[in-house]
Amino acid sequence: MLLSALSLLGCGEGTSAENASGDIDTGIEFEGTADEDDGGDGGAGAMDSGGPAKLDAASGDPGMSDAGDAGPELGCELVDLLFVIDNSGSMNDEQVNLVGSFPGFITEIQTQLADADSYHVGVITTDEYEYNDGCQDEGAMVIATGGADSSHAVCGPYADGHTYMTENDDLDVAFSCAAKVGTDGDGDERPMQTMQAALSKDMVEPGGCNEGFLRDDALLVIVIISDEEDDHELDGCTQKAHPGSSGDPADWYEDVIAAKDGVEENIVVLSLIGPTGPDPEVCPMLDKCVGGSDGAEIAERIVAFTTMFTNGFVGQICAPSYAGFFAEAVGVISTACENFVPIG
């Protein structure tokens, strides 16, 4: 489902591939977040984090209703969250915004997905991450950071000894360390390629850098944060080819589904990206020719990939707060969890 009408993409609106009634919505709209401030409730009134977001395992027998005699409930009990964070030179403000919005996001997931008792949370960048302690392969999860604008810290291994966080971590602290990956990354961003690598068998099976992260019986939530397109373009200033990720949106779509045993409904894709909006003072076109860091580049291919999914949702990276985006995104995750298709 490739997009051809980028004029529909505005800085102040949001889109979900599924509307409130459950019907697929082929229109592209971006949620109004341009005039929110950090103290707003994002339209849901539940994004304020009252303290550290440490996820407690649900009590009671998994899959059983409160009544005890109603039989097993439908829905997911496990959630795997993969954050793909652009670490190129223009991403400092966006990483700060993400870290500030994360506590409310994870707390609201915990609230709405009451039956989910186990979480995996992994962070990768949009190229090979040289500061990682240990695995530096493309798609390896961040356990240490370095370079300009980063947290300059050893973040993991995390509480359970993995390269990803779990419900046993203090997620506010652990995520703020890992997600501040800095701005020393390659300007030829490859978010789709690193995402594919992170979910590949070589990475998630025994001996891989991300061993154990991807679980067959978990809902997979992919969160992409980038102010540029997955390049695949000619540099407008030097005419130097930027290949970006290999393949196209249809290839990436099929690859992610294959990683989840072919069950598309068990995947959620959330993308905080361009396009630019109607107000150039709020969301100007990112001017890479002069080393600009404000605004965003139109990300047609990432939008196309995201909206191929039943549970796809697109938001505007120029928003001063991501609370509104994440508040609505939790609804998409909740619906996907309710409709989770058990494997095996």
Side-chain angles (χ1 to χ4, degrees):
M1 184 175 64
L2 297 176
L3 300 182
S4 61
L6 283 178
S7 60
L8 294 175
L9 299 173
C11 187
E13 302 178 329
T15 180
S16 171
E18 185 170 1
N19 61 26
S21 64
D23 297 327
I24 302 303
D25 184 2
T26 58
I28 304 299
E29 297 178 353
F30 278 78
E31 181 200 356
T33 54
D35 59 356
E36 290 177 10
D37 57 38
D38 291 340
D41 63 8
M47 296 303 294
D48 294 331
S49 64
K54 185 170 182 177
L55 300 178
D56 298 322
S59 59
D61 295 330
M64 298 301 294
S65 68
D66 293 339
D69 57 357
E73 292 181 345
L74 297 176
C76 62
E77 297 177 355
L78 314 175
V79 181
D80 299 335
L81 294 108
L82 176 66
F83 286 81
V84 185
I85 303 175
D86 186 347
N87 61 317
S88 64
S90 58
M91 282 293 296
N92 182 43
D93 290 344
E94 290 82 356
Q95 290 174 23
V96 170
N97 201 346
L98 173 65
V99 168
S101 301
F102 177 81
F105 176 48
I106 202 68
T107 298
E108 187 64 9
I109 289 177
Q110 181 186 15
T111 299
Q112 292 203 28
L113 277 60
D115 291 331
D117 59 7
S118 177
Y119 294 79
H120 288 176
V121 181
V123 171
I124 65 172
T125 63
T126 52
D127 61 2
E128 294 179 3
Y129 195 60
E130 63 177 312
Y131 301 103
N132 228 3
D133 184 10
C135 242
Q136 296 179 351
D137 296 345
E138 192 170 51
M141 292 179 177
V142 174
I143 58 173
T145 66
D149 302 314
S150 76
S151 58
H152 295 279
V154 176
C155 308
Y158 301 98
D160 290 341
H162 305 304
T163 58
Y164 49 86
M165 297 154 256
T166 71
E167 65 277 2
N168 294 319
D169 286 278
D170 183 332
L171 290 176
D172 283 8
V173 174
F175 186 82
S176 65
C177 180
K180 202 68 174 65
V181 292
T183 55
D184 282 356
D186 195 331
D188 179 19
E189 293 90 338
R190 303 181 299 278
M192 300 295 101
Q193 192 165 307
T194 57
M195 173 195 67
Q196 289 171 299
L199 301 175
S200 67
K201 287 186 177 182
D202 288 345
M203 278 287 192
V204 300
E205 290 187 345
C209 296
N210 305 335
E211 179 180 347
F213 171 78
L214 189 66
R215 298 172 288 183
D216 288 343
D217 50 353
L219 181 70
L220 173 63
V221 180
I222 300 171
V223 186
I224 302 165
I225 303 100
S226 178
D227 62 356
E228 296 189 49
E229 173 69 286
D230 189 307
D231 268 336
H232 205 75
E233 64 178 14
L234 290 178
D235 188 303
C237 305
T238 66
Q239 295 299 300
K240 179 182 177 181
H242 285 180
S245 296
S246 58
D248 57 31
D251 297 324
W252 310 331
Y253 174 80
E254 293 296 337
D255 206 41
V256 171
I257 292 174
K260 290 298 293 178
D261 295 309
V263 185
E264 187 266 351
E265 296 90 337
N266 290 353
I267 304 165
V268 176
V269 178
L270 312 173
S271 293
L272 268 169
I273 51 177
T276 58
D279 185 351
E281 293 184 2
V282 174
C283 191
M285 174 66 79
L286 184 64
D287 191 348
K288 295 183 289 184
C289 295
V290 296
S293 60
D294 295 328
E297 183 180 44
I298 295 172
E300 180 178 5
R301 300 203 312 156
I302 301 177
V303 171
F305 165 76
T306 305
T307 55
M308 286 178 180
F309 288 88
T310 303
N311 303 305
F313 189 71
V314 178
Q316 181 48 253
I317 198 166
C318 291
S321 169
Y322 299 152
F325 169 78
F326 282 128
E328 290 202 34
V330 169
V332 178
I333 295 171
S334 180
T335 298
C337 187
E338 292 171 2
N339 297 325
F340 184 82
V341 179
I343 303 298

